[in-house]
Amino acid sequence: MPCKSGVQILGSCNGVLLLDSDIDEELCLWNPSIRMYQKISRPKYTRSSIKYALGYDSINDDFKVVAAVTPTSYIHSVVRVFSSKLSSWKSIGDFGYSCRLYGQGSVLNGAPHWFARGSTDIDVCYFRIACFDVMEEKFKEVPTPIYEVESHFFKVGILDGCLCAVDSRLESHLDVWVMKEYGVKESWTKLFVVSNVAPNVPGESFFEYCELLCFTKDGEFVLRLKLGASVKLAIYNPKRKTFKRIGMPQNWKGFDVDLYVESLVSPLGCNNPRRY
């Protein structure tokens, strides 16, 4: 693996992973199938203030890394984009209002998506799904399944080629939605409801975090759950409404997980190829 220990997966797209290391001052685009990678210098902002995502511009055959700087009381969200083809960063301005992106950018059709929460310059509350168009290099909005999400937590994901959203109703249940026709609010369909009780831990809530990773051929769903300070993997059967934990090696102190599809796509820009 090209990056050092303490690695976090920031994005996955077309067989290429965007990696971050706790002790490395660079990001890394890596295709493990062909063992090629490209190191990327970080934008010069406080590390904890940046939300990263990976996208793919299919027209120009270019992987793009989006870096959105978390807004403060006196600045809006500053956005920068790295092109693997040009091997350079450029600034594309800001949102024009205070906006925070939540969760990891989930990629659909090459574009990363997040749940966005913030306010306009006239202090109007703002709750949307934000999408970064990698070809036009600008943010767009996608309607949420419901209007009132102020007291809930949304997690955006991709399920069977469709945009999906997990709406956590605090200490109650999880609503899992799927957008069957992209961009059409009326096409949002509630897939199923999950009781907000942690698997095999009676009385423990997991509403803090739930992400749908994929589904099996038997119709079960693989979930990533945050249970207090720990992260667990589980398989949920929506018909039986049952959970099954996915066991992890005992010597693992921590782990990160994301969907990955093998490809022969190179993550390299104009730099010389690197293999390991």
Side-chain angles (χ1 to χ4, degrees):
M1 193 168 190
C3 297
K4 300 178 182 179
S5 60
V7 172
Q8 179 183 6
I9 303 173
L10 300 178
S12 176
C13 182
N14 287 11
V16 172
L17 301 175
L18 174 63
L19 305 177
D20 183 20
S21 171
D22 291 340
I23 55 178
D24 199 335
E25 292 305 316
E26 295 177 303
L27 303 173
C28 182
L29 290 175
W30 176 46
N31 186 333
S33 297
I34 59 176
R35 303 173 65 182
M36 299 181 69
Y37 68 95
Q38 179 183 15
K39 291 284 186 85
I40 302 173
S41 60
R42 297 178 183 277
K44 298 186 182 302
Y45 295 100
T46 304
R47 185 171 180 174
S48 61
S49 68
I50 303 178
K51 180 71 68 174
Y52 290 105
L54 177 63
Y56 178 67
D57 180 349
S58 59
I59 300 297
N60 298 298
D61 189 23
D62 191 7
F63 284 96
K64 293 183 178 179
V65 178
V66 184
V69 180
T70 302
T72 66
S73 57
Y74 56 90
I75 65 168
H76 293 151
S77 299
V78 179
V79 182
R80 299 191 70 188
V81 176
F82 178 86
S83 163
S84 65
K85 199 169 186 178
L86 300 177
S87 192
S88 63
W89 288 96
K90 72 175 181 180
S91 175
I92 61 169
D94 58 37
F95 282 99
Y97 48 83
S98 178
C99 180
R100 291 176 180 268
L101 304 176
Y102 290 85
Q104 181 176 301
S106 298
V107 182
L108 180 62
N109 299 326
H113 294 69
W114 305 262
F115 175 58
R117 182 190 298 262
S119 62
T120 65
D121 290 333
I122 57 175
D123 294 328
V124 175
C125 291
Y126 178 91
F127 303 94
R128 290 289 187 276
I129 293 174
C131 163
F132 185 78
D133 188 315
V134 292
M135 286 177 278
E136 296 184 19
E137 294 189 340
K138 66 179 183 180
F139 276 92
K140 297 181 178 180
E141 297 177 358
V142 179
T144 61
I146 56 178
Y147 290 100
E148 298 178 359
V149 295
E150 293 91 323
S151 60
H152 316 307
F153 178 78
F154 254 60
K155 179 66 180 70
V156 178
I158 309 299
L159 197 60
D160 194 24
C162 294
L163 192 66
C164 75
V166 178
D167 179 22
S168 295
R169 302 294 177 126
L170 303 184
E171 300 183 0
S172 173
H173 62 276
L174 304 174
D175 292 332
V176 180
W177 297 77
V178 173
M179 185 179 245
K180 294 188 175 182
E181 185 176 351
Y182 184 79
V184 179
K185 183 179 180 65
E186 292 73 23
S187 72
W188 278 110
T189 303
K190 188 181 293 188
L191 199 60
F192 55 84
V193 178
V194 183
S195 175
N196 204 0
V197 177
N200 303 324
V201 187
E204 183 178 356
S205 169
F206 68 81
F207 68 84
E208 298 173 67
Y209 188 96
C210 177
E211 178 183 2
L212 274 72
L213 295 175
C214 60
F215 65 93
T216 70
K217 61 182 180 180
D218 297 324
E220 296 180 318
F221 292 82
V222 180
L223 309 176
R224 174 165 53 179
L225 311 174
K226 182 178 180 182
L227 307 175
S230 62
V231 176
K232 305 293 183 182
L233 298 179
I235 296 177
Y236 177 70
N237 186 312
K239 293 182 179 179
R240 300 176 183 174
K241 298 182 179 180
T242 57
F243 290 93
K244 180 173 63 177
R245 287 280 185 89
I246 298 177
M248 307 301 293
Q250 294 183 352
N251 61 343
W252 284 20
K253 296 181 180 180
F255 68 92
D256 201 0
V257 60
D258 206 335
L259 294 180
Y260 175 76
V261 179
E262 291 184 330
S263 79
L264 300 178
V265 177
S266 171
L268 301 169
C270 61
N271 293 337
N272 292 327
R274 291 189 179 186
R275 296 180 181 266
Y276 74 97

